[in-house]
Amino acid sequence: FMNLSTARSEKRAKEVGIRKTLGSNKIQLIAQFFCESFILTFIAFVLAIIAVTLLLPSFNLMVDKHLSLNVTGPLFWMMALGIILFTAFVAGSYPALYLSSFNPVKVLKGTIISGKKTILPRHILVISQFVISILLISATIIVYQQIQHVQERDMGYNPNGLIMIPSTPDTDKSFAALKHDLLTSGVITDVTRTSSPITEVWWNTGAPDYDGKPANAQIIMGGLGTDVDFAKTMGVKILQGHDFTGTPADSTSMMLNKAAVDAMKLKNPIGMQMRYGKTYTVIGVTDNVIMNSPFEPAYPMLMVYDPSNSSMNTMRIKTGVPAQKALAVLENVFKKYNPSVPFEYKFVDQEFQKKFITEELISKLANIFSVLAIFICCLGLAGLASFTIEKRFREIGVRKVLGASVQQLLILISKEFLKLVVIAFVIAVPVTYWLMNHWLENYKYRININLWLFVVVGIAMFILTLVVVSLNTLKAATANPVKSLRSE
């Protein structure tokens, strides 16, 4: 607003000169310009309220909240009035002080010249807008890269086609028959049950005792009770040993994941004795399974054969079978053995995606703010370009008479603005790198910021600047120089 207002100063200079000649003092002119700023701010406020009312349902859907705008409360109107007055005062301060300071004699003679002191504030404003735009664009890309990096991470199991259905006393009592019916249905290939979903850790514990365990070792692990076919159903890779087989010996058997073996510093874990309430024998080592946050390292896990401690039945749909067909079969089977409980299910891949809700929301909001920042930056840039062209309109006419081409004039005007982009780029890159690196430190599984990202964003801002400035300059560059020079 400041840039656009001061860019129009040439148009309003004579108005100010005449008003001063007719007796208006500086205070009256400042009050006039502040009133104009207040009216524009109030109109913007009304439009903003309408926009918020229309957009709030979509915003609530995006952030999964139930926010509302209470326009009837006195607190709202007190805050609204404060925002309007503050915005009108800050946005209108520079234009009011600048326009009211014109010398009427110079204005009416047409000899008013703006010095570097008047141009500097406008340059600072445009540089600030460029800095914010570069920061938000870069941040948006980094957030997107971080989410993609984690989503492409090997989770240690195959979530596609896995369905989870809560266990009940009835399903536990008839699990063998239930499993048989599912496997013979033609739509399910594998079935198991566990003490918690594969997407969560419900059981945290200290590491079991074992020979050679350091006296001061403090290892926190996750625990999981499983049935047979755990690794087969989940698609978990067995690195050493084997899965539970359902034999009586499994009651004293234990499996560890790779993270647990590393945390406990075990070299040859298979066959080791683990004292955990009773003595267990390690029969297998699985690959790491990401059950908690996908942004964190794999959690050390111990797994014991404990079919009685079941909370979730997990089954894998046969490849090529439509999900709706499989669900219809599952519903019939579960109603047969569990008639008193409504049929409820969850897809593992969908549950896993819920772990990205916060980061995806950050990404969406960053996209929105980036677009707004770019739009506002273009407005400020257009204002400064318009101001510059107004000041150099006659110069452009003289250069055209002397043989300058349109391309040469575009380059001449654009150079000044490209310098501003370079300055903003130099400021924005270290600030953005520091802020986003600090944000990424919240995640142990993270990307490293590639400096080429800033080069790409810088080139994009260069192109954007050239487009905006060229569109504003083109009219002056293609105008007949006679129009600008006929009064000379």
Side-chain angles (χ1 to χ4, degrees):
F1 176 75
M2 291 179 181
N3 275 326
L4 292 172
S5 296
T6 50
R8 293 176 61 241
S9 60
E10 288 290 322
K11 302 292 186 183
R12 305 201 62 176
K14 289 183 179 179
E15 174 195 341
V16 172
I18 292 171
R19 283 181 177 276
K20 282 193 171 184
T21 302
L22 295 176
S24 295
N25 57 37
K26 188 172 182 178
I27 299 299
Q28 290 173 321
L29 290 169
I30 290 175
Q32 174 197 336
F33 293 125
F34 271 126
C35 285
E36 291 177 3
S37 177
F38 176 82
I39 292 169
L40 287 174
T41 305
F42 181 77
I43 294 171
F45 169 77
V46 173
L47 294 175
I49 294 298
I50 295 171
V52 169
T53 303
L54 295 175
L55 295 174
L56 197 55
S58 299
F59 184 78
N60 282 335
L61 188 64
M62 183 176 72
V63 300
D64 193 24
K65 300 289 182 185
H66 298 284
L67 306 176
S68 60
L69 189 64
N70 181 18
V71 295
T72 59
L75 180 62
F76 169 81
W77 287 107
M78 288 173 61
M79 294 181 66
L81 182 61
I83 292 171
I84 292 171
L85 291 174
F86 176 79
T87 306
F89 178 77
V90 174
S93 58
Y94 179 60
L97 296 172
Y98 174 68
L99 294 172
S100 63
S101 64
F102 286 164
N103 187 314
V105 176
K106 291 183 177 180
V107 167
L108 297 176
K109 280 186 175 181
T111 58
I112 185 169
I113 300 174
S114 298
K116 292 184 178 180
K117 291 183 179 180
T118 59
I119 297 175
L120 182 61
R122 285 187 285 275
H123 283 183
I124 292 173
L125 288 170
V126 172
I127 290 171
S128 300
Q129 291 172 337
F130 274 124
V131 169
I132 294 170
S133 297
I134 293 171
L135 191 154
L136 282 173
I137 295 169
S138 303
T140 300
I141 296 172
I142 291 169
V143 170
Y144 174 79
Q145 288 178 335
Q146 172 67 4
I147 294 173
Q148 289 296 112
H149 177 66
V150 177
Q151 286 181 332
E152 294 171 1
R153 180 182 182 183
D154 182 10
M155 296 298 129
Y157 69 99
N158 180 12
N160 299 318
L162 279 182
I163 295 181
M164 300 185 296
I165 299 174
S167 300
T168 67
D170 288 338
T171 59
D172 286 340
K173 182 176 63 177
S174 308
F175 183 74
L178 174 72
K179 183 176 181 178
H180 176 267
D181 286 1
L182 290 172
L183 293 176
T184 56
S185 66
V187 299
I188 299 298
T189 59
D190 302 289
V191 182
T192 192
R193 52 183 172 172
T194 54
S195 61
S196 69
I198 191 65
T199 54
E200 298 179 48
V201 176
W202 288 359
W203 170 15
N204 286 285
T205 181
D209 291 327
Y210 54 93
D211 293 341
K213 180 181 180 181
N216 59 348
Q218 294 182 346
I219 303 171
I220 302 298
M221 307 174 65
L224 184 68
T226 74
D227 203 339
V228 296
D229 295 332
F230 165 74
K232 182 182 177 185
T233 304
M234 302 296 182
V236 179
K237 185 178 180 181
I238 300 289
L239 302 179
Q240 296 180 47
H242 58 84
D243 198 354
F244 299 115
T245 58
T247 61
D250 280 342
S251 62
T252 57
S253 298
M254 176 183 290
M255 291 199 299
L256 302 171
N257 71 348
K258 186 176 182 299
V261 172
D262 293 340
M264 298 165 72
K265 299 180 180 179
L266 306 178
K267 293 183 179 179
N268 298 300
I270 301 299
M272 286 189 65
Q273 303 296 303
M274 297 286 163
R275 295 178 291 279
Y276 189 72
K278 60 182 179 181
T279 302
Y280 290 87
T281 301
V282 178
I283 62 168
V285 176
T286 70
D287 199 359
N288 293 328
V289 174
I290 307 301
M291 297 175 66
N292 276 337
S293 170
F295 298 94
E296 299 290 333
Y299 206 54
M301 293 289 298
L302 63 85
M303 289 148 279
V304 295
Y305 180 72
D306 190 6
S308 62
N309 183 20
S310 171
S311 66
M312 196 64 66
N313 299 297
T314 305
M315 51 228 70
R316 183 173 294 280
I317 299 175
K318 186 176 181 180
T319 304
V321 175
Q324 292 302 319
K325 179 181 177 181
L327 288 172
V329 173
L330 288 171
E331 185 173 5
N332 290 331
V333 173
F334 272 85
K335 281 186 175 180
K336 176 182 176 182
Y337 294 100
N338 194 34
S340 61
V341 178
F343 178 70
E344 296 179 352
Y345 64 91
K346 293 179 180 178
F347 286 97
V348 171
D349 55 352
Q350 293 178 355
E351 289 300 299
F352 179 75
Q353 284 300 315
K354 291 180 180 178
K355 298 178 182 291
F356 297 94
I357 288 176
T358 300
E359 282 68 26
E360 287 179 343
L361 178 58
I362 292 172
S363 181
K364 289 177 182 177
L365 293 175
N367 287 333
I368 293 170
F369 285 120
S370 294
V371 172
L372 291 174
I374 292 169
F375 176 69
I376 294 171
C377 182
C378 289
L379 288 180
L381 186 61
L384 187 57
S386 176
F387 176 84
T388 302
I389 292 163
E390 286 280 355
K391 292 294 182 185
R392 304 180 71 173
F393 197 68
R394 289 173 183 169
E395 177 193 339
I396 291 171
V398 172
R399 288 181 179 274
K400 286 200 71 175
V401 170
L402 295 176
S405 65
V406 174
Q407 291 81 359
Q408 289 172 326
L409 292 173
L410 289 176
I411 293 171
L412 175 70
I413 301 297
S414 298
K415 280 196 300 184
E416 179 181 340
F417 297 97
L418 293 179
K419 290 177 183 177
L420 302 182
V421 177
V422 172
I423 295 170
F425 183 79
V426 172
I427 296 171
V429 169
V431 173
T432 305
Y433 185 87
W434 180 82
L435 287 174
M436 295 311 298
N437 196 56
H438 182 69
W439 178 74
L440 287 170
E441 286 176 357
N442 294 319
Y443 308 103
K444 293 182 180 178
Y445 189 83
R446 48 161 287 184
I447 61 169
N448 292 316
I449 299 175
N450 193 330
L451 294 179
W452 279 104
L453 162 71
F454 298 109
V455 175
V456 173
V457 173
I459 292 172
M461 293 306 296
F462 259 71
I463 295 172
L464 180 66
T465 303
L466 285 172
V467 170
V468 173
V469 174
S470 297
L471 290 175
N472 281 273
T473 309
L474 201 58
K475 184 179 178 181
T478 56
N480 190 336
V482 173
K483 291 181 180 180
S484 59
L485 299 176
R486 62 186 174 185
S487 60
E488 294 299 316

